[in-house]
Amino acid sequence: MEKSTSRQSRKKVVAVVGGGLVGALNACFFAKRGFDVELFESREDIRRAKIVKGRSINLALSHRGRQALKHVGLEEKIVAKGIPMHARMIHSLNGKQSPIPYGRKGQYILSVDRANLNKELLTAAETYPNTKMNFDHKLQDWNAETGLMTFARLDGSKEQVKADLIVGCDGAFSAVRKQFLRRSRFDYSQTYIPHGYMELTMLPINGEFAMKPNYLHIWPRNTFMMIALPNLDKTFTCTLFMPFEDFEKITTGDEVIEFFQKYFPDTIPLIGADTLQRDYFRLPAQAMVSVKCNPYHIGDACVLMGDAAHAVVPFYGQGMNAGFEDCIVFDEIMDQFNEDFSAVLPEYTRVRVPDDHAIADLAMYNYIEMRAHVNSKWFLFRKYVDNILYFFMPKTIIPLYTMVTFTRTRYHEAVKRWHWQNKVINRGLLLSAVGAVLGGSYLLIKNPPDINKLIISAEKMWDRLVALRTL
Ligand SMILES: Cc1cc2nc3c(=O)[nH]c(=O)nc-3n(C[C@H](O)[C@H](O)[C@H](O)COP(=O)(O)OP(=O)(O)OC[C@H]3O[C@@H](n4cnc5c(N)ncnc54)[C@H](O)[C@@H]3O)c2cc1C
Ligand SMILES: NC(=O)C1=CN([C@@H]2O[C@H](COP(=O)(O)OP(=O)(O)OC[C@H]3O[C@@H](n4cnc5c(N)ncnc54)[C@H](OP(=O)(O)O)[C@@H]3O)[C@@H](O)[C@H]2O)C=CC1
Ligand SMILES: Nc1ccccc1C(=O)C[C@H](N)C(=O)O
């Protein structure tokens, strides 16, 4: 059956492929502009599903994502059901917990429920009379020349649909993107990192959160880490990120406990030994992939957004936020070019590719920061210096995390600025150190100290330096 949804006499028809987070939000953006929107989702309607399949139970929502939700009137509703996380809470091996604030007082990221967010977005999209939802429609193939899409239904039937614009929001393994790969001058790279992830649940204890709720808890163990984000039902979702080969070394329940005893001893009484032994083997560790491509569009017929355009590893908590920001950027360009797709699509590629590529790189970097750098005294010292400079010169020195998480500074500009700031601050610190040494030497020459005391102080200093280097 072919259903032609393109009509000359009225607003153009936009087919949004994928009813995940970005697809559902995008449907709202296009519907708000008055387009006839058809959303196609391969899965059943999650609002009616008994089991909601999908990645990660919860997500960190920050400024960019919130701004996009605000555009469609959903910010307050989603924020009301989010749990603020003001700081990283670092769990040392000995059980000591130390917070590292994300930003200034009052700045936080929000832990939100993925399924609830997706349901709210679908419901919001459906409230527009010019939107039609098509669940159980899996895009199989489409033709870049004719714009004809073929969908497979659950009952095995096929449906063909034509639209004026196809918006590919069908996630990291996008079927829309497959057609791009057949075209000349399409750059594409895909990298699976050698680490996987596994989610474990920490239940409430005596009806209360098992740990302090307003933090993103991290157990940084240099080559791997576990994190935990709070949920509204007072559980925590713990995610263990580790090389696949290390996951595979653990094959029995006893080995699970031995591993947790060695690296995360404080979590055993909180998760429970039996639960740990059971849940560790419930699902195999999941892979993480980073996808970069360019361009994001084909002519005036098709555009990729969200993970379909840029799947990033999850470590900055920015994948969805960046996908949501894609929708705002596209919307802004639609205003600029009077909704002329032939001008809007190339401009969207031009503006957005450098930013999405930058957040993909930052996401890779943040894994190292989270699992290793937070253990280093130098990193903590630098963070402290950055914060002081930010306090006194808020327009000149802005911490990277602040730019990425609490502003809409373009990602690639944030990276550029970060490199520049690092250069300036490190040089400043070096100059201060040289100044201190020279000043000290001058004083020493003027008032020579007791040589024995000096040797003892030098030895102590050396021990501290060695300790710092081994962290
Ligand atoms: C472990 C983990 C933790 C994460 N944590 C965060 C976080 O804290 N903060 C954050 O911002 N991001 C996070 N992310 C990233 C975030 O999950 C993604 O960026 C986000 O889901 C992308 O949304 P999307 O709509 O582009 O893709 P998806 O959410 O994948 O939605 C794609 C939709 O398309 C449908 N689909 C797929 N193929 C077809 C087809 N052929 N035809 C029709 N429909 C199709 C799928 O069923 C799905 O519903 C995390 C990711 C992972 C893996
Ligand atoms: N950046 C990252 O590392 C990752 C990000 N994500 C994001 O989270 C989203 C939601 O995840 P979730 O709903 O669990 O997605 P799933 O893992 O359930 O995959 C969704 C669909 O994508 C197809 N698919 C899955 N894995 C692969 C693969 N390795 N190669 C080709 N196709 C594949 C499958 O289609 P079929 O049924 O045809 O096989 C599957 O039904 C993803 O769509 C993605 O956007 C997900 C995983 C990793
Ligand atoms: N949501 C996540 C999922 C997986 C890994 C990290 C996150 C984060 O949000 C990290 C946070 N932005 C941080 O830098 O501490």
Side-chain angles (χ1 to χ4, degrees), residues 58-62 66 79 82-89 99-104 106-113 209 212-218 227-231 235-237 316-317 321 370 401 405-406:
N58 48 28
L59 297 148
L61 172 71
S62 49
R66 286 180 64 163
V79 168
I83 302 178
M85 298 181 289
H86 298 274
R88 293 172 173 162
M89 181 64 90
I100 308 177
Y102 277 126
R104 291 180 161 159
Q107 283 184 320
Y108 52 82
I109 55 178
L110 279 161
S111 176
V112 299
D113 181 283
F209 279 107
K212 289 184 179 160
N214 294 113
Y215 296 92
L216 191 153
H217 292 261
I218 312 178
I227 65 167
L229 273 73
N231 299 310
T235 60
F236 276 94
T237 303
Y316 224 114
N321 285 287
M370 288 180 79
Y401 198 85
T405 311
F406 302 123

Side-chain angles (χ1 to χ4, degrees), residues 296 303-305 326 333 344-352:
Y296 287 165
V303 63
L304 300 173
M305 294 198 206
D326 289 348
I333 298 174
V344 170
L345 269 54
E347 178 65 1
Y348 172 74
T349 286
R350 192 188 69 77
V351 170
R352 202 55 186 157

Side-chain angles (χ1 to χ4, degrees), residues 296-349:
Y296 287 165
H297 72 286
I298 297 179
D300 61 355
C302 179
V303 63
L304 300 173
M305 294 198 206
D307 277 20
H310 48 79
V312 302
V313 290
F315 305 109
Y316 224 114
Q318 282 292 313
M320 166 196 66
N321 285 287
F324 280 7
E325 194 180 46
D326 289 348
C327 304
I328 315 182
V329 170
F330 192 87
D331 197 59
E332 288 165 351
I333 298 174
M334 286 281 271
D335 279 342
Q336 222 177 312
F337 291 89
N338 214 10
E339 299 184 353
D340 172 3
F341 294 153
S342 66
V344 170
L345 269 54
E347 178 65 1
Y348 172 74
T349 286

